[in-house]
Amino acid sequence: MPRLLAIDYGNKRVGLAVTDPLQIIATPLDTIHSKDLFDFVKKYHQQEGGLAGIIIGMPRTLMNEATDSTSAVVGVVRKLRRELPEVPVHEVDERFTSRMAHQAMRDGGLGQKARRDKALVDRVSATIILQSFLDSRPL
């Protein structure tokens, strides 16, 4: 069964997470520079023999309004749908994911220095986005 890939997009860095082949567990994958995103996704899609879907965090305010980053993510979604039309792209509300990532890292016993690693926070955020998508699917 093909994997799902999650993206926590930022203007500088992109956190990535994937599921296991059975699409049960979300796991951090990597953090890459945002300019490398499309090449990475296309290469990963080919290496894995296809992706079942791409899950991307959509930034929104507490009032469910667009943020400064929303238009950039909308552009990424459009480009993904254009370049990989066979792969469904799902948008997931990413409010609180950075805060949840910090809390998960704290609960996991990571020290303050590790929690300051923005690349690690991005990977954990992508994992939370993906797990929330998995949890919202009907059984």
Side-chain angles (χ1 to χ4, degrees), residues 9 56-60 66 69-81 91:
Y9 185 82
I56 189 163
M58 186 59 66
R60 306 296 291 173
S69 305
T70 304
S71 63
V73 176
V74 168
V76 169
V77 168
R78 283 188 188 134
K79 189 169 181 180
L80 285 168
R81 287 180 174 149
E91 301 168 20

Side-chain angles (χ1 to χ4, degrees), residues 4-8 53-57 88-92 129-130 133:
L4 295 169
L5 174 72
I7 299 171
D8 180 31
I54 297 171
I55 317 308
I56 189 163
V89 178
H90 306 276
E91 301 168 20
V92 173
I129 290 167
L130 183 52
F133 176 81

Side-chain angles (χ1 to χ4, degrees), residues 58-125:
M58 186 59 66
R60 306 296 291 173
T61 67
L62 293 177
M63 303 299 287
N64 200 27
E65 296 170 349
T67 70
D68 296 342
S69 305
T70 304
S71 63
V73 176
V74 168
V76 169
V77 168
R78 283 188 188 134
K79 189 169 181 180
L80 285 168
R81 287 180 174 149
R82 187 173 55 247
E83 293 194 16
L84 294 168
E86 70 280 11
V87 180
V89 178
H90 306 276
E91 301 168 20
V92 173
D93 185 342
E94 73 166 24
R95 283 179 278 189
F96 306 114
T97 55
S98 291
R99 186 174 295 145
M100 290 166 62
H102 282 288
Q103 185 63 46
M105 293 165 66
R106 210 175 0 263
D107 292 348
L110 288 177
Q112 191 172 20
K113 184 177 180 183
R115 293 193 312 262
R116 279 194 217 124
D117 179 354
K118 293 181 182 192
L120 177 59
V121 173
D122 290 340
R123 286 191 301 275
V124 173
S125 293

